[in-house]
């Protein structure tokens, strides 16, 4: 069997075991058994449990980011690109629940090296969303003052945080998870409608300070 195929099998098995048991409780014996390989072979290919875990985080991070970015056509409007990106995000996390469990929970729990890898992934997604929000403000002249960089960044972080929360909700339901299209529409209805008002100068303000 080609090495690349065998490594992919090992990483697939490792993602399943790490997601189910967490880093500390996961055993290389169980990973090797699930991959249909010997434990010495797993160590030969991937050196250590820590390196195996890091390889899983990097692979799944790249796959998620690629899915989100490739779904958005640069020629589309900002709202269409965001809609397509969100739909791809929810479709990918639903199709790869173990990978999402690692990215959203286990990497934070295990420690700084892996938490940093996850933070880099999250920042790339936040930057992608921030560019869409900034692009929306340039699509046409707006009635209100333009959004400044800090406001764009805050809105992007809020939207990504909401998407992460919704993905966790969808993937841990006792009943059938809603289709990715419905989950993406839920978030678009909450965020984009409000963002359009904001870009048109219709800002919310408390009745009393």
């Amino acid at each position: 069997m080609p090495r690349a195929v065998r490594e992919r099998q090992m990483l697939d098995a490792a993602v399943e075991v790490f997601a189910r048991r967490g880093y500390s409780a996961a055993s290389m014996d169980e990973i090797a058994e699930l991959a249909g390989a010997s434990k010495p072979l797993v160590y030969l290919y991937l050196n250590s449990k820590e390196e195996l875990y890091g390889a899983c985080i990097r692979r799944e991070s790249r796959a998620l980011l690629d899915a989100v970015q490739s779904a958005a056509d640069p020629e589309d409007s900002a709202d269409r690109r965001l809609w397509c990106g969100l739909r791809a995000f929810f479709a990918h996390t639903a199709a790869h629940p173990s990978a999402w469990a690692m990215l959203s929970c286990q990497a934070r729990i295990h420690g700084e090296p892996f938490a940093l890898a996850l933070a880099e992934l999250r920042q790339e997604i936040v930057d992608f969303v921030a560019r869409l929000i900034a692009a929306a403000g340039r699509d046409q002249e707006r009635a209100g003052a333009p959004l400044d960089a800090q406001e764009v960044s805050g809105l992007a972080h809020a939207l990504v945080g909401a998407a992460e929360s919704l993905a966790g909700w969808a993937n841990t339901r006792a009943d059938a998870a809603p289709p990715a299209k419905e989950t993406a529409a839920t978030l678009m209805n909450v965020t984009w409608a409000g963002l359009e008002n904001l870009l048109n100068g219709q800002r919310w303000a408390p009745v009393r300070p």
Side-chain angles (χ1 to χ4, degrees), residues 6-16 31 35 46 51-52 55-56 59-60:
R6 175 59 79 186
E7 281 193 15
R8 184 171 67 248
Q9 290 177 337
M10 292 176 184
L11 290 172
D12 289 344
V15 168
E16 294 294 325
I31 291 169
L46 295 156
E51 288 193 33
L52 174 58
C56 290
R59 187 187 74 164
E60 301 307 331

Side-chain angles (χ1 to χ4, degrees), residues 22-199:
Y23 176 82
S24 298
S27 74
M28 295 293 274
D29 288 300
E30 185 176 5
I31 291 169
E33 182 179 358
L34 187 59
S38 66
K39 187 164 73 169
L41 186 61
V42 176
Y43 277 112
L44 177 65
Y45 278 26
L46 295 156
N47 299 319
S48 69
K49 180 178 173 181
E50 183 172 347
E51 288 193 33
L52 174 58
Y53 192 83
C56 290
I57 291 293
R58 289 189 296 274
R59 187 187 74 164
E60 301 307 331
S61 295
R62 191 73 255 165
L64 176 57
L65 187 62
D66 287 347
V68 172
Q69 292 181 333
S70 64
D73 186 341
E75 300 302 317
D76 280 339
S77 62
D79 65 322
R80 176 72 184 175
R81 279 181 283 160
L82 180 59
W83 156 248
C84 292
L86 286 174
R87 193 170 58 182
F89 174 84
F90 291 121
H92 187 89
T93 54
H96 304 88
S98 294
W100 178 242
M102 280 193 69
L103 295 178
S104 61
C105 299
Q106 297 297 341
R108 289 191 183 98
I109 293 169
H110 176 59
E112 186 173 343
F114 303 122
L116 287 175
L118 178 62
E120 289 173 1
L121 163 70
R122 192 175 193 276
Q123 189 59 52
E124 286 196 64
I125 294 177
V126 167
D127 291 343
F128 169 74
V129 172
R131 288 194 295 271
L132 296 185
I133 294 173
R138 296 191 298 268
D139 279 350
Q140 63 186 68
E141 290 186 4
R142 304 293 180 175
L147 302 177
D148 61 30
Q150 180 172 298
E151 196 165 23
V152 168
S153 178
L155 289 167
H157 275 87
L159 197 151
V160 171
E164 291 170 343
S165 181
L166 269 176
W169 166 80
N171 287 350
T172 57
R173 292 170 60 89
D175 56 353
K181 187 175 180 179
E182 289 184 14
T183 309
T186 296
L187 190 51
M188 286 294 289
N189 283 328
V190 171
T191 58
W192 196 264
L195 183 59
E196 279 197 315
N197 286 337
L198 183 61
L199 291 171

